[in-house]
Amino acid sequence: MNKLPVVAQFESENDFLSRQLNQDRPARLAVRMVLNLAQVHLAEKLAEAAAAVSETMQVAFKRHIANMADASQARATQLLYAEINRVPPAQQAELVKEGRDAPIVSEATLRQRRIAPEVQAALVEHCGGHTSTLQALAARPDVTLDTLAALAGSKDKRTRLNVAASLGGHMRLDEPGLASKKAAIFSALMVGYESDFAPHLVPVCQSSDQLREMFDKTSKALGVVETFVENPYTPDSVLVDIASSPTMHLVQHDAAKRAKGLLQARADLRESSSYSDDMAPS
């Protein structure tokens, strides 16, 4: 009997793909895929960093050219001597607006002994990229609450720190009509609160909830814990944390001891008040 020729059988495309997908991939292939993915992310990060550096350099160059311009030099000179020449605040604000690209203009404005509120508003509105100018503006003794309110949400930490320091001084003043405005600035600073704000904000804070929040976000460095202990509005929960902390007893013994004493004094006062209420005639 003659044998029939053997005909080669090939699996279909679908069967081949299914079999390949069901097989375990070698570990080296997975590692290669992860490495390739990491390289892609690294390249993207490098490209983003290069673009950021390029943009920063372009902005710096633009400002340098603006500083060299005759018009910018003239505006800076006018603003430098604006107080002596009695240049109206509205005209000064216009000069700031016209010279917004030249840091030399905003820096000249800061050299005045007193900056009018309208000029401060112009600096905030038109010179947002002049970081050093806004830092110095926030720290000035004549800075207005409106200016502090505008700078409280700054992305620059030093600017916000200077706002906190200036606000601390304002809050020590008895100004009932400005209490709500001060409270709004305080709340804005709490959104981006930094531990360095504590020496300025803790002593003037009258909210137990905000003091609790600040304590949780504040570094327990020497000198900082005392500000919480000395504030009569500090809640018992914060004093308990200070008084019961072994670290506090070891490193800041006086603060921990005083916190414990205040807790006892408050407990005695509450007990005394409760006793007085019980003894009152009905």
Side-chain angles (χ1 to χ4, degrees):
M1 179 181 295
N2 295 331
K3 294 183 178 181
L4 296 174
V6 177
V7 179
Q9 294 183 354
F10 298 97
E11 58 186 339
S12 67
E13 181 181 356
N14 289 336
D15 293 339
F16 175 77
L17 291 176
S18 298
R19 183 167 56 81
Q20 290 295 322
L21 289 173
N22 290 330
Q23 289 181 354
D24 292 333
R25 294 188 176 186
R28 62 178 180 274
L29 180 58
V31 171
R32 188 182 304 122
M33 290 177 66
V34 172
L35 288 175
N36 289 340
L37 204 56
Q39 290 174 353
V40 171
H41 289 319
L42 178 60
E44 291 176 351
K45 294 293 183 182
L46 289 174
E48 292 174 0
V53 170
S54 176
E55 182 179 354
T56 301
M57 292 181 64
Q58 289 178 8
V59 170
F61 182 72
K62 179 180 179 181
R63 290 175 180 170
H64 177 68
I65 295 299
N67 279 341
M68 296 174 62
D70 291 340
S72 297
Q73 296 284 342
R75 294 186 188 103
T77 302
Q78 285 180 274
L79 287 166
L80 182 61
Y81 298 104
E83 193 171 9
I84 298 175
N85 295 327
R86 298 183 180 180
V87 179
Q91 185 177 341
Q92 294 184 48
E94 187 62 26
L95 289 171
V96 170
K97 179 180 178 180
E98 293 171 354
R100 58 186 175 274
D101 293 329
I104 190 175
V105 173
S106 61
E107 291 167 1
T109 308
L110 288 177
R111 295 186 183 181
Q112 296 183 32
R113 186 183 59 176
R114 181 184 177 278
I115 302 178
E118 301 95 321
V119 182
Q120 292 186 33
L123 287 170
V124 172
E125 180 180 358
H126 303 296
C127 303
H130 303 182
T131 304
S132 60
T133 294
L134 298 183
Q135 289 175 353
L137 178 61
R140 286 180 62 94
D142 61 343
V143 64
T144 66
L145 289 177
D146 288 335
T147 298
L148 293 179
L151 296 177
S154 172
K155 295 180 180 180
D156 179 63
K157 177 182 176 180
R158 173 59 62 178
T159 300
R160 296 199 314 277
L161 176 59
N162 290 347
V163 170
S166 294
L167 180 64
H170 276 279
M171 294 191 72
R172 287 180 171 86
L173 301 176
D174 185 16
E175 300 171 313
L178 299 175
S180 59
K181 185 173 290 188
K182 295 177 183 179
I185 299 172
F186 197 105
S187 298
L189 287 172
M190 288 296 295
V191 174
Y193 179 82
E194 300 278 353
S195 184
D196 293 340
F197 298 179
H200 309 293
L201 299 184
V202 172
V204 298
C205 183
Q206 298 183 9
S207 166
S208 296
D209 292 338
Q210 288 180 329
L211 284 164
R212 174 76 253 184
E213 182 181 352
M214 284 191 285
F215 184 78
D216 293 338
K217 296 178 179 179
T218 299
S219 169
K220 311 306 183 288
L222 289 172
V224 175
V225 175
E226 284 85 346
T227 61
F228 287 95
V229 176
E230 292 170 359
N231 190 323
Y233 295 94
T234 296
D236 287 355
S237 61
V238 171
L239 294 178
V240 169
D241 287 350
I242 296 173
S244 62
S245 169
T247 304
M248 295 293 179
H249 279 280
L250 181 64
V251 181
Q252 304 189 58
H253 177 72
D254 291 342
K257 183 178 179 180
R258 189 175 176 197
K260 184 177 181 180
L262 286 172
L263 284 169
Q264 185 60 51
R266 290 182 180 183
D268 293 344
L269 182 61
R270 283 192 288 266
E271 184 177 352
S272 175
S273 299
S274 176
Y275 177 77
S276 297
D277 291 341
D278 292 340
M279 293 299 291
S282 58

